[in-house]
Amino acid sequence: MTIQPARLSDPAVRAFVSAVNAHDRDGFLALLAPDATMSDDGSDRDLGDWIDREIFSSNGHLDVDSEGRDGRSLVARYRNDAWGEMRTRWSFTVDEEGRISRFETGQA
């Protein structure tokens, strides 16, 4: 059963999923701390390059199946034009200002 983005527990994660699904690159970037980092399948990646390739130029979309850690951990079906659909895990670190300072993703 899919959890609608508006029902996700953590406000930053809710906004992240909503921005991905709306293909709102500017809104997405506004959610990130200035020095935000990310990893994919355990390897740190260049954030700007990764989001352009994996989300915004390839029509990325998240359907969230479950959440944990007060909404800062997700299991979701992620799809984009490059890879199709896969079951993924997402983990978020949110700073004291409510911005995402790190996210980690990979196959679940």
Side-chain angles (χ1 to χ4, degrees), residues 40-101:
D40 184 1
D41 282 328
S43 297
D44 278 14
R45 309 287 184 180
D46 177 274
L47 180 66
D49 176 62
W50 190 90
I51 66 169
D52 285 342
R53 186 179 67 252
E54 300 291 338
I55 299 175
F56 296 107
S57 70
S58 61
N59 297 306
H61 189 89
L62 279 162
D63 288 317
V64 178
D65 292 326
S66 64
E67 63 176 353
R69 287 185 38 243
D70 296 323
R72 293 189 178 171
S73 176
L74 305 176
V75 173
R77 284 166 287 126
Y78 185 74
R79 68 180 177 273
N80 66 22
D81 294 345
W83 305 104
E85 183 172 292
M86 64 192 87
R87 187 169 167 83
T88 57
R89 57 168 175 69
W90 298 76
S91 178
F92 299 88
T93 303
V94 180
D95 69 17
E96 60 280 350
E97 295 166 10
R99 295 173 79 185
I100 295 169
S101 59

Side-chain angles (χ1 to χ4, degrees), residues 5 7 12 20 24 34 39 67 69 100:
R7 301 187 67 83
V20 168
D24 180 2
S39 71
E67 63 176 353
R69 287 185 38 243
I100 295 169

